[in-house]
Amino acid sequence: MRRATVLTLLAALALLSTGVSAGDDDYAAMLGYLTSSRLDGHVLQGADGSVAVNLAAGDLNSQANLRAFATGPDAQAWIDSRQRTLGNHASAPLEAQATIAGNVLAGAHGLVSINQASGTANTQLNAVAAALATKGIRETTDGSLSAAVSASAGVQPGTETGVPGEGTRSVSVAAGAMQGFRGVLQLNQTAGSGNATGNVLSLSVSELPR
């Protein structure tokens, strides 16, 4: 019993010496708010085809990978996307890291879209719209043969992130990652708060007349 009392007193003295109270919130604040998102090892190595990845660490992050494909006599493909963050409250991390390392996507080929965020209230969008018309370019109008992407991504007024005056933000892609990749690669990589990024590919093609 005496030993338990001594341990309790030592714990209380330790808290007093650091100026931190015994509450759970204060203890969490003492540890700090750190965010880290990471793709590593052999993830997606040698992948073939269509790949979409959303990876986030933190609060209030919005991510989307959207594709639209159409084929036919009068092919049309379109994407309309709106990402909004409104009236939310969150704290920004002291440290934010977004990392792609190892042999991620090495030797892969196809259509790959990756959103990777670390932090608070970031918005990311990858969009691909492609249309293939079978009539031939001389037999269809620009209006009927179309691929379009309409998109917006942003942090709206009222979002408070409490960005601190100190801390670190870092993004990185290792030298060994994505080596030998062939195809279309869309990558949004963000560390911090209140960032808006996007990659948009719009493609309209027509078969040659036979």
Side-chain angles (χ1 to χ4, degrees):
M1 193 58 129
R2 180 176 298 175
R3 182 178 180 183
T5 302
V6 171
L7 290 176
T8 302
L9 288 173
L10 288 175
L13 289 173
L15 288 171
L16 289 173
S17 65
T18 58
V20 179
S21 65
D24 292 339
D25 292 340
D26 292 331
Y27 181 70
M30 182 179 67
L31 293 179
Y33 180 22
L34 313 177
T35 60
S36 176
S37 62
R38 186 179 185 91
L39 289 172
D40 205 343
H42 300 285
V43 173
L44 299 174
Q45 183 176 3
D48 180 12
S50 178
V51 176
V53 177
N54 288 320
L55 180 65
D59 298 299
L60 306 176
N61 296 297
S62 301
Q63 299 172 315
N65 288 311
L66 306 177
R67 286 91 180 269
F69 299 97
T71 182
D74 298 305
Q76 298 184 48
W78 66 89
I79 294 173
D80 188 359
S81 174
R82 297 290 183 270
Q83 293 172 296
R84 295 175 60 86
T85 301
L86 182 63
N88 294 300
H89 301 270
S91 298
L94 293 175
E95 295 187 8
Q97 297 179 343
T99 305
I100 296 178
N103 297 310
V104 173
L105 282 172
H109 61 278
L111 171 59
V112 176
S113 302
I114 299 175
N115 290 314
Q116 185 183 23
S118 180
T120 304
N122 299 293
T123 55
Q124 298 176 315
L125 170 68
N126 289 313
V128 176
L132 173 63
T134 58
K135 278 188 175 181
I137 196 168
R138 296 180 180 177
E139 301 180 28
T140 187
T141 65
D142 291 338
S144 59
L145 172 58
S146 63
V149 177
S150 174
S152 68
V155 179
Q156 304 300 318
T159 300
E160 296 183 4
T161 55
V163 180
E166 58 182 10
T168 60
R169 316 281 185 266
S170 65
V171 298
S172 62
V173 178
M178 304 180 187
Q179 283 192 349
F181 176 83
R182 292 180 294 127
V184 176
L185 174 62
Q186 297 177 306
L187 173 60
N188 289 313
Q189 197 178 35
T190 301
S193 300
N195 299 290
T197 58
N199 293 303
V200 173
L201 173 62
S202 179
L203 180 65
S204 296
V205 295
S206 177
E207 292 183 346
L208 294 175
R210 298 180 180 178

